[in-house]
Amino acid sequence: MRPGVLRLFGRAASALPCVLLLLGPVAARSEPAIEDSTWVDHDREPIRRPPDWEPNYWGQQVRQGFSEPLSHLFDVPDKLLWAARQFGIHTRDQAANANAFDEAPNSAWFTNRNHRNSVPVSELRRGPYPTSLPTKPWTITHAKQSGFTSGFQIKDADGKKWLVKLDPRGYPQLGSGADMVARTLLHASGYNVPHNEPVRFVRGDVAIDPDRLRGAEGEQFTNANLESVLVRGAVFPDGSYSASASLFLVGHALGSPSMNRKRPGDTNDWYTPVNRRALRGLFVLCSWINDWDTKDHQFLDMFVETRDSLGHVEHYILDAGSSFGAGAEGPKPRSAGYEYTVDLKWIARRFVTLGFVEEPWRRARQETGIPSVGNYESAVYEPQDFRQLMQQPAFREMTDRDGYWGAKIVASFSARQIAAAVDAAQYDDPRASEFLVRNLIIRRDKIAKYWFARVAPLDFFYVQDGTLHFRDLAVDVGLESARAYDVKVDGDRRIRLSGARFPLAAPRKGASTRTLAISVAGNGAKPATVDLTWKDSSWVVTRVKHG
Amino acid sequence: MPLADYEGRGVPLQRHLTQSRGDSIETARPFVTIEARRAGFRARLALFALLACGIAGASAAPDARADIPFGESTWVAPETSFGSDVAPDGPRVATPDRERAWEIALRTPFRVVFFPLRLLARGVEAGAAYVGPRYLEPKPKKPPKRGLSLEPSVIIAGPSDFGIGPAVTWSGFPTADSKLLLAASTSLSDRRRVRFLESIGTRRPVGLRLGVQYDYRPDRVYYGIGNSTRLSDRAYYRLETTNADAMLLLGASPLRQLRLIAGYSAMSPRRGYNAAPLLEEAFPASSVPFQHQTTQELWYGVGGDLAVLDDDRDPSRGLHGRADLRRATGMKPGDPDYTQWRVEGRAYVPVFASRRVIAVRGIYEGIEPSGSETTDLPYYRLPKSGGTETFAGYANDRFRDRRLALARAEYRWAILKRMSAVVMYELGEVAPNAASFRLREAHTSYGGGIRLGTADDSSVRFELAKSVEGMRIALTLGSDF
């Protein structure tokens, strides 16, 4: 062999340990263990930054507005599976990442909060983040690149970057208030949300970056452009503009996720979003706050660097401004929240009835007459009939267990907490706060009533002193008075309980597990199933399944 | 609003609260912390011990917290503790998700069968992905583009009449609110069109429109003159048309406008091609007035629209009238002088709600020779059932004569925003004079379709209409009804 080649091999061999050291975190990583009883799904393993990618907005609009509904209309397997479900056969795919206790473990998508450990009222009133407003004066650095609300990107006096979105003309605090309340509730529920604050500013607080005035890098934003933006913005009686300021998230924006696929290059992303408990159950929360514009592009994936250019992806619900009665250009369209943009069922109903069918949104008295609230109501609202603008794939896959989980989160909010979340928006009009609190409570109770009638709301099982304890959420929240329960032990014996506790006898020889199916006596809701295992001379709850 | 107000609120809120939701402000957790601040070091030590016991006790004795029901502001779930575990390393809750094997087996055959449709859907989505950011995305309003621009001009006038060519637009010539358009196209059937249009002050109280159109078509259809012509008598001819007109518009909206018009029209019929049988072969010359005779006319007239509608694009209530009157003078010996008129009335009546409308439309059109040159009129200048006067269940240009009457009633109901389903019934008839109309001889059509309102004076209609001559499917872009 030639000396030169030998030297090359030698150099490569000596470099190999260094290469392995650099690749250490990746090359040496072994597959994580699978433990279905974990409360933390460890999806923050340091990885290299995935490539930027997001589904095309307009392509997704066509797909979820037309292609998917038409495809499902003619989907023969779907019809066969539906027919099988009528005979009691379980065909729906349950959420892939629910743990053994039928909960969504903490992850980069979701953190268990209010329904496990009530968020203090003072925290709700403040909002998800410590109050920090963009310090003035502001410098406009870019026009707002997309979306229907008018606004611009700024750098505040402290150098922080914010996106400012104006409330629509004539409706101060409509969008900014809705966004604040929605985000506060979503964060308390467990979702990651950006730091948004309702803000007020006057024309004199804003200047345009000289580069933008000049048109540097092919992008120009002039005073005329600014005037055309401001003229569409809402103005308070004192002449200041009403807007929402959103602090740029920490990290590198990878783009919006697609509900139908895992993020390319993200090796931590094990579960397709449509199969995630937190995203399926989000339907219930969206119906509560009437977030009628939920789509892939309302989410944002951020790569957060932790060390040595490695990091992980955090998933945010970016935009909740189209909630309650708010729309981009004023109060939301009356049909929003009740019908898809192309709702084949309602089109067919209207067609067949020659237009004489009355849609729920026509019956509903949505016009509140409160400019900062818009079109919102709860009298006609039915939790199961909530519809966004576009069909959300994750919502279509929702099962009763997912819906119950979402309803449990909604029901966990007390009236004081709801009032505190509404207070975070700092509405000038006292009618707005009172109206929103009242209707959020009504919707909360409707949601709880509906889902707790489908799945027995028996939860939070634990064993103490040889007795299985649980909570009846419907009784706790005041929807039901104290009631009896039926327990089926190991599919065999049936026992009637007068309270939410079941004494457990020591196991027979050779039997170390027990399965209890607990239902509400005289109630058709699906039972809760609890698996118990005998460990260290006592029973331990090892698995819970709702419905 | 102060939170305390919700503790003892009146009926509207209390109705939705129960005893178990009436939690108090002071709770167990913050109480300990408040006490520690007050008492100083000893209390802090006691607090530490208390918390240490509390933590130990919490896992062993969740019943203390169990007294606080779910849904209270101080609720803490028993048993489970996952603390502040944010370590990157650790277990995953489940293996990566995959489609279930039996579901793959069930769906695969259908995926194969419907693959072409899926491919089509993906193609449409890709098209939307291309078009959307460029043309549909809301952008900051920029001043209108001025100067010359070149675009393709596409004309679709029938299943076999598809034309393409260049179109030059000059915005801002000669004045800031003007627009010049020059477009030419040719089609597979050798139809040639050239159009010049200069619009000045469109959508202003006073506007001017100048236009020149050239239209050459070798396969125009002719069934004869009269109400009883036979479908089997179809024949073809060639017609070359040159029109020039000037229009003074008084009124910004096309629905509320007076028009003073003058123009020139030259029409030259010849032997057709690209179709059979030809007019000369199917009809004797005596039955086709001005069979191969070119006529040149100078004309002037007045027209107008007056509409009182609740919504210009999708009216549900109101009236709309339109009238046009023209006087034409032949330019050379033998060319006829005539008077031509068209009157149209529309009415819209809601059926208990604006989303359900009965729309009625009536048209009366006529032409009458005047002067002493001739009492004959060229067959190609007679009113005919085509364009905006199409009889729904019949072919284009099916009937022609000196008078045309058309009445349509339709019921529209909204199925989507700006989109309505339509059922309609129509009567149409042609006659040599007004006294010759006979209701029992009117041609009836009935059917239905979809209407999409696109602009003040324009809509897209897809219609299926039935008549004694069969079923007709029509897609009309730019229909004004």
Side-chain angles (χ1 to χ4, degrees):
Chain A
M1 196 180 278
R2 280 182 171 180
V5 176
L6 278 172
R7 271 200 293 276
L8 192 64
F9 267 113
R11 281 181 192 153
S14 61
L16 190 59
C18 300
V19 171
L20 285 175
L21 204 64
L22 283 170
L23 290 175
V26 177
R29 188 182 66 182
S30 54
E31 283 294 308
I34 307 296
E35 189 187 307
D36 67 356
S37 60
T38 183
W39 279 92
V40 180
D41 184 28
H42 292 84
D43 61 353
R44 292 181 167 101
E45 179 97 25
I47 59 169
R48 285 208 190 87
R49 191 176 92 192
D52 294 356
W53 177 88
E54 70 176 10
N56 181 275
Y57 174 80
W58 293 101
Q60 282 292 84
Q61 294 283 86
V62 170
R63 182 168 195 166
Q64 286 172 12
F66 298 95
S67 311
E68 291 284 313
L70 282 173
S71 164
H72 283 279
L73 186 67
F74 298 105
D75 193 319
V76 173
D78 268 2
K79 307 293 178 284
L80 293 173
L81 293 176
W82 173 85
R85 282 196 289 276
Q86 308 316 305
F87 292 98
I89 299 169
H90 293 286
T91 61
R92 283 210 187 275
D93 204 359
Q94 296 297 338
N97 70 327
N99 67 7
F101 306 104
D102 212 9
E103 293 278 357
N106 292 356
S107 69
W109 287 87
F110 179 82
T111 305
N112 286 276
R113 294 194 181 107
N114 201 66
H115 74 290
R116 303 295 312 183
N117 196 343
S118 279
V119 176
V121 160
S122 55
E123 261 184 52
L124 282 166
R125 194 173 193 192
R126 192 184 63 213
Y129 295 89
T131 303
S132 160
L133 300 174
T135 47
K136 293 163 186 169
W138 300 345
T139 304
I140 295 177
T141 53
H142 296 282
K144 188 165 166 282
Q145 305 293 342
S146 61
F148 289 85
T149 46
S150 53
F152 36 78
Q153 290 183 24
I154 64 160
K155 200 178 264 188
D156 70 6
D158 295 333
K160 290 187 202 158
K161 289 199 273 187
W162 300 76
L163 177 67
V164 174
K165 292 199 290 189
L166 274 77
D167 287 318
R169 190 83 177 172
Y171 301 96
Q173 296 186 301
L174 177 64
S176 55
D179 179 73
M180 191 67 188
V181 178
R183 276 187 331 105
T184 303
L185 291 172
L186 285 170
H187 181 265
S189 299
Y191 296 88
N192 299 332
V193 296
H195 182 168
N196 292 6
E197 297 284 349
V199 292
R200 300 173 189 230
F201 67 97
V202 295
R203 176 66 180 87
D205 293 331
V206 182
I208 303 175
D209 188 298
D211 284 343
R212 291 287 79 77
L213 279 171
R214 253 184 312 130
E217 293 164 5
E219 189 192 338
Q220 191 172 39
F221 193 86
T222 64
N223 282 304
N225 293 134
L226 178 58
E227 293 308 320
S228 72
V229 167
L230 292 177
V231 81
R232 291 164 55 200
V235 176
F236 287 108
D238 64 0
S240 60
Y241 292 95
S242 171
S244 169
S246 179
L247 182 63
F248 274 46
L249 289 164
V250 171
H252 174 86
L254 296 171
S256 300
S258 167
M259 291 296 128
N260 291 109
R261 60 180 292 189
K262 300 167 195 175
R263 175 163 286 282
D266 182 1
T267 50
N268 286 320
D269 197 6
W270 280 24
Y271 317 112
T272 314
V274 290
N275 290 331
R276 284 187 172 269
R277 166 59 60 83
L279 294 177
R280 291 180 176 188
L282 181 61
F283 170 84
V284 182
L285 281 110
C286 287
S287 82
W288 184 37
I289 61 175
N290 200 40
D291 187 351
W292 51 272
D293 195 17
T294 319
K295 51 185 179 286
D296 293 3
H297 291 78
Q298 305 297 88
F299 296 80
L300 182 64
D301 290 349
M302 297 294 296
F303 182 76
V304 179
E305 205 170 294
T306 47
R307 60 179 173 89
D308 301 331
S309 75
L310 299 176
H312 63 270
V313 181
E314 289 282 337
H315 308 272
Y316 289 84
I317 297 179
L318 189 68
D319 187 356
S322 296
S323 299
F324 305 107
E329 292 164 343
K332 70 163 183 71
R334 295 190 66 220
S335 58
Y338 300 87
E339 269 186 44
Y340 300 123
T341 302
V342 180
D343 196 313
L344 297 176
K345 276 192 188 149
W346 275 109
I347 290 173
R349 280 183 196 148
R350 285 190 281 263
F351 197 84
V352 164
T353 62
L354 301 180
F356 279 91
V357 66
E358 193 178 27
E359 301 91 335
W361 54 268
R362 283 193 206 275
R363 273 186 278 125
R365 283 189 179 183
Q366 297 184 57
E367 291 84 357
T368 59
I370 305 171
S372 47
V373 172
N375 296 337
Y376 185 56
E377 63 84 39
S378 50
V380 171
Y381 162 77
E382 294 297 337
Q384 68 278 18
D385 293 336
F386 173 71
R387 298 286 181 269
Q388 318 81 47
L389 223 52
M390 297 284 168
Q391 287 192 41
Q392 249 294 337
F395 297 171
R396 199 186 302 122
E397 299 300 318
M398 184 185 67
T399 63
D400 279 349
R401 282 160 71 176
D402 301 318
Y404 164 76
W405 176 86
K408 183 167 56 176
I409 293 178
V410 171
S412 71
F413 285 90
S414 68
R416 296 176 57 76
Q417 288 180 303
I418 292 171
V422 172
D423 266 357
Q426 300 166 51
Y427 285 109
D428 281 3
D429 189 342
R431 297 177 301 164
S433 302
E434 195 276 336
F435 181 90
L436 276 180
V437 171
R438 181 157 40 88
N439 281 274
L440 275 169
I441 289 170
I442 294 172
R443 282 193 172 215
R444 176 200 68 187
D445 291 346
K446 278 193 171 184
I447 286 169
K449 229 180 235 172
Y450 173 78
W451 287 103
F452 292 172
R454 292 178 74 86
V455 177
L458 310 176
D459 217 318
F460 304 107
F461 296 90
Y462 65 95
V463 176
Q464 188 191 359
D465 298 331
T467 302
L468 176 70
H469 296 258
F470 58 92
R471 300 217 69 99
D472 185 335
L473 306 190
V475 171
D476 276 0
V477 302
L479 290 174
E480 297 286 348
S481 48
R483 50 190 183 174
Y485 310 96
D486 287 333
V487 181
K488 205 169 178 185
V489 182
D490 293 329
D492 191 11
R493 291 180 294 139
R494 198 182 278 276
I495 299 168
R496 174 66 57 101
L497 303 178
S498 59
R501 50 180 60 83
F502 179 61
L504 298 165
R508 289 191 298 273
K509 222 179 196 179
S512 60
T513 60
R514 181 165 285 179
T515 298
L516 307 176
I518 310 174
S519 57
V520 177
N523 188 302
K526 293 176 186 172
T529 308
V530 184
D531 290 351
L532 298 150
T533 303
W534 184 255
K535 257 188 209 169
D536 300 330
S537 307
S538 64
W539 289 105
V540 175
V541 175
T542 50
R543 189 170 300 279
V544 175
K545 200 171 71 172
H546 292 99
Chain B
M1 176 176 282
L3 292 175
D5 284 8
Y6 285 103
E7 275 223 82
R9 275 191 67 84
V11 172
L13 209 54
Q14 284 292 21
R15 188 166 60 224
H16 304 289
L17 299 175
T18 66
Q19 194 58 39
S20 64
R21 292 275 205 175
D23 45 331
S24 60
I25 297 172
E26 299 295 334
T27 64
R29 274 187 312 154
F31 173 77
V32 173
T33 312
I34 290 165
E35 287 303 304
R37 278 203 206 107
R38 284 187 196 143
F41 174 76
R42 272 194 203 162
R44 281 195 283 276
L45 193 61
L47 166 66
F48 177 80
L50 187 67
L51 284 174
C53 293
I55 289 166
S59 53
D63 54 326
R65 286 174 291 177
D67 291 341
I68 300 171
F70 175 84
E72 294 294 328
S73 302
T74 52
W75 154 261
V76 177
E79 191 76 358
T80 323
S81 170
F82 37 89
S84 57
D85 179 0
V86 291
D89 301 326
R92 300 298 303 258
V93 69
T95 54
D97 62 333
R98 287 177 180 81
E99 196 174 19
R100 295 168 290 188
W102 63 263
E103 201 165 349
I104 294 174
L106 176 65
R107 293 186 183 277
T108 298
F110 297 95
R111 284 174 181 160
V112 169
V113 166
F114 286 101
F115 180 73
L117 284 176
R118 284 178 174 271
L119 212 56
L120 179 67
R122 295 296 98 84
V124 171
E125 288 158 27
Y130 178 83
V131 167
R134 288 165 177 76
Y135 301 106
L136 302 177
E137 190 106 330
K139 289 180 172 60
K141 279 207 167 89
K142 291 180 183 171
K145 213 168 139 187
R146 301 231 174 268
L148 279 170
S149 64
L150 180 67
E151 291 156 0
S153 162
V154 177
I155 297 166
I156 304 168
S160 60
D161 192 6
F162 173 80
I164 191 161
V168 174
T169 309
W170 192 343
S171 294
F173 176 82
T175 62
D177 59 354
S178 308
K179 190 173 177 183
L180 184 148
L181 168 71
L182 179 63
S185 66
T186 182
S187 75
L188 298 170
S189 57
D190 200 22
R191 183 171 182 181
R192 306 164 206 169
R193 277 181 275 212
V194 178
R195 193 159 62 107
F196 166 83
L197 183 65
E198 172 67 69
S199 309
I200 301 170
T202 313
R203 296 287 176 174
R204 285 180 177 262
V206 178
L208 181 67
R209 196 177 294 166
L210 305 169
V212 177
Q213 297 93 36
Y214 170 79
D215 191 341
Y216 173 99
R217 187 170 176 181
D219 57 356
R220 286 198 180 272
V221 90
Y222 180 76
Y223 295 87
I225 297 173
N227 201 49
S228 308
T229 53
R230 294 180 301 188
L231 183 64
S232 56
D233 287 342
R234 182 169 53 203
Y236 297 90
Y237 64 99
R238 176 172 30 137
L239 186 67
E240 193 173 351
T241 306
T242 303
N243 292 323
D245 54 72
M247 198 182 296
L248 181 68
L249 307 165
L250 302 170
S253 166
L255 296 174
R256 284 165 281 279
Q257 196 174 67
L258 184 68
R259 296 180 287 274
L260 303 174
I261 329 162
Y264 161 81
S265 167
M267 289 189 170
S268 179
R270 292 285 180 267
R271 190 177 175 83
Y273 57 92
N274 284 349
L278 300 177
L279 187 149
E280 296 79 2
E281 297 158 3
F283 289 89
S286 58
S287 68
V288 186
F290 291 77
Q291 188 181 31
H292 285 143
Q293 188 172 340
T294 299
T295 56
Q296 295 174 333
E297 308 286 333
L298 281 174
W299 55 269
Y300 61 92
V302 64
D305 275 78
L306 183 63
V308 178
L309 303 169
D310 62 338
D311 185 320
D312 288 348
R313 201 187 301 185
D314 290 311
S316 65
R317 184 182 286 111
L319 298 168
H320 179 187
R322 178 182 288 171
D324 277 284
L325 179 67
R326 296 183 184 191
R327 188 72 185 267
T329 306
M331 286 183 69
K332 53 186 195 343
D335 289 346
D337 299 340
Y338 58 86
T339 303
Q340 196 171 22
W341 64 91
R342 187 180 182 282
V343 180
E344 181 177 347
R346 301 175 187 180
Y348 304 91
V349 179
V351 181
F352 304 114
S354 59
R355 63 188 186 274
R356 297 183 293 260
V357 183
I358 291 176
V360 175
R361 181 197 197 199
I363 297 173
Y364 179 61
E365 191 177 340
I367 188 169
E368 193 64 33
S370 58
S372 56
E373 277 291 336
T374 174
T375 55
D376 280 342
L377 290 168
Y379 69 95
Y380 47 82
R381 290 190 183 271
L382 293 175
K384 58 186 187 305
S385 62
T388 50
E389 290 83 37
T390 299
F391 292 5
Y394 298 84
N396 261 337
D397 300 349
R398 177 68 181 85
F399 301 101
R400 68 178 76 202
D401 211 330
R402 294 187 181 195
R403 304 285 188 271
L404 181 145
L406 179 65
R408 169 187 274 231
E410 59 182 43
Y411 172 65
R412 302 173 181 172
W413 68 102
I415 54 173
L416 254 187
K417 193 176 174 185
R418 294 293 179 194
M419 184 183 283
S420 306
V422 174
V423 289
M424 64 86 184
Y425 183 77
E426 191 180 81
L427 292 170
E429 191 174 347
V430 296
N433 51 61
S436 302
F437 282 110
R438 298 281 181 270
L439 189 59
R440 63 176 180 275
E441 290 168 16
H443 302 287
T444 59
S445 307
Y446 60 90
I450 302 289
R451 177 186 181 277
L452 177 68
T454 54
D456 289 357
D457 56 352
S458 179
S459 65
V460 174
R461 295 182 76 107
F462 174 76
E463 207 165 79
L464 277 83
K466 181 92 170 64
S467 70
V468 293
E469 291 187 358
M471 177 81 80
R472 187 166 171 268
I473 299 172
L475 174 65
T476 312
L477 308 171
S479 162
D480 71 342
F481 179 57

